[in-house]
Amino acid sequence: MNFLLIVCAACSAVAALGFTVLFFAETSSIRRRSGYRSLLRQRYLHIVMLALCADRPAVPRFPLLRRPGSRLLLAETIATLTSMTCGLPSGILSRITARYRLDEWLLHRARFAQGYRRARYLALLSCLPASESVSRRAARFGRSRNRYVRFFALMITLTAEPPAALHRMAGCAWSFSATEVAEITAALRRGLLPIAYRPLVASPSPNLRRVGLSIVRQFGIEEAGPQLRQLLADPNPAVAQRDILHTLCALRQPLLCREVRHSLARMQPAERRMLMRYMARSSYAPGLLRRLFDKSECAYYETIVQSHKRCLA
């Protein structure tokens, strides 16, 4: 009996030791792969930046591109560079994308992927200068049940055909979320969607108005104040009154007007408090609110303002 217990204990110890060795070996392998990917990504970024600075028609060569995962690294490098930089010359990036067929490769991967993995490939593709044929074929993902897949398929078509961007955004069957509006605004900041804010803000489409208000907030277009106050006077606006008031606050516009008072009167208490928190972040003085809110709400606003202050002594 004791012999069997000794044998079982020895086998358990050997198994535990084996699993420990496998665990550390796998962890070491993951670290090596992560370090290899990091070094290769830095190398690809260096080559792309040299090509952009040289501004030559020749397409640079990228090492180890036939290894598994290297093409995805190159696509991620170019997509990250274009999404974080404004005014990049698109000629060399288009030639790199066409030479190594990055857009075709991403579309092929998206076709055989599902869910969020497909959305990721389409998100990368939306940041690359894809060809017109790839953009047309990617448009079929706009019928997907996954919202992220539908949106990034829309982004591909918007950046591929900027003149039709307004028509495509207005024809969307779903309402844009704040994240989706931010993605569209970021593409506009990079110069991919040359759209003026006035037709967007004046549009009857809720999605177009949300994008227009986001543009006004992002670029601080103060001359849009009168047009926003006219929107507040509309009893049935296409976008929420809260979004218009938040835009006025972001522009530091005066709020003591009849349109703002009528809009505040139609808002729910929870929406009014949300607006007051936004006004505190926009540095509106508490004395202004005494003409817009009641005493209890003014006291609530003063507590918000005090929470933002810091003792300097």
Side-chain angles (χ1 to χ4, degrees):
M1 187 67 179
N2 293 335
F3 177 75
L4 292 177
L5 291 176
I6 294 173
V7 172
C8 291
C11 292
S12 300
V14 171
L17 180 61
F19 283 123
T20 303
V21 171
L22 289 176
F23 172 76
F24 282 107
E26 182 65 22
T27 304
S28 177
S29 176
I30 292 174
R31 289 178 179 175
R32 285 196 303 270
R33 288 197 300 268
S34 178
Y36 165 77
R37 288 172 57 86
S38 178
L39 291 175
L40 192 58
R41 182 181 286 108
Q42 292 178 13
R43 178 60 177 164
Y44 286 172
L45 178 60
H46 181 70
I47 294 174
V48 173
M49 293 303 297
L50 287 178
L52 289 172
C53 294
D55 195 18
R56 296 174 181 174
V59 178
R61 297 182 60 183
F62 294 90
L64 307 175
L65 198 58
R66 294 184 179 274
R67 291 196 175 185
S70 297
R71 196 176 297 269
L72 179 59
L73 273 178
L74 179 58
E76 290 175 347
T77 301
I78 297 177
T80 304
L81 185 63
T82 56
S83 63
M84 299 179 64
T85 313
C86 299
L88 279 177
S90 59
I92 184 61
L93 298 180
S94 299
R95 291 193 292 272
I96 292 174
T97 302
R99 170 65 178 82
Y100 297 104
R101 302 174 61 87
L102 297 178
D103 50 353
E104 295 278 357
W105 183 83
L106 287 173
L107 183 63
H108 177 77
R109 295 294 295 265
R111 185 180 298 116
F112 292 98
Q114 296 292 331
Y116 295 111
R117 188 179 296 272
R118 172 179 290 176
R120 179 192 177 216
Y121 290 131
L122 294 178
L124 291 175
L125 184 56
S126 67
C127 296
L128 297 183
S131 63
E132 293 183 2
S133 62
V134 171
S135 301
R136 287 195 301 268
R137 282 179 285 163
R140 69 184 186 89
F141 293 113
R143 298 186 296 270
S144 173
R145 291 179 296 179
N146 188 303
R147 178 172 184 146
Y148 297 97
V149 172
R150 291 200 310 267
F151 173 72
F152 284 114
L154 173 67
M155 286 297 299
I156 294 172
T157 58
L158 292 182
T159 55
E161 302 179 35
L166 295 182
H167 175 72
R168 293 184 184 278
M169 287 190 291
C172 286
W174 75 92
S175 298
F176 289 156
S177 65
T179 304
E180 292 167 346
V181 172
E183 286 282 349
I184 296 174
T185 308
L188 189 142
R189 291 177 69 92
R190 299 195 302 269
L192 300 179
L193 296 175
I195 302 174
Y197 79 94
R198 291 186 182 276
L200 294 176
V201 174
S203 173
S205 170
N207 283 336
L208 293 183
R209 283 200 177 184
R210 289 190 182 94
V211 174
L213 293 176
S214 176
I215 293 172
V216 172
R217 290 192 298 268
Q218 289 288 324
F219 292 92
I221 307 175
E222 297 182 358
E223 56 268 24
Q227 187 176 5
L228 298 181
R229 285 189 283 272
Q230 291 179 1
L231 291 177
L232 288 177
D234 188 358
N236 298 308
V239 294
Q241 302 275 329
R242 180 186 66 252
D243 296 336
I244 302 174
L245 289 172
H246 284 188
T247 304
L248 287 173
C249 292
L251 298 177
R252 309 297 197 276
Q253 292 285 311
L255 302 179
L256 295 178
C257 60
R258 177 175 52 85
E259 294 84 2
V260 172
R261 290 192 181 96
H262 290 175
S263 179
L264 290 174
R266 294 194 296 266
M267 294 175 66
Q268 298 296 325
E271 292 180 329
R272 290 161 66 93
R273 292 203 168 200
M274 183 185 300
L275 176 64
M276 294 170 75
R277 292 192 291 270
Y278 194 85
M279 292 175 66
R281 292 195 297 270
S282 301
S283 305
Y284 278 90
L288 173 68
L289 274 71
R290 297 190 181 98
R291 303 175 62 180
L292 296 175
F293 299 95
D294 56 31
K295 292 183 178 180
S296 62
E297 290 175 325
C298 289
Y300 172 73
Y301 185 78
E302 290 180 358
T303 59
I304 297 174
V305 173
Q306 292 295 330
S307 68
H308 283 267
K309 292 184 177 180
R310 294 292 182 271
C311 182
L312 300 180

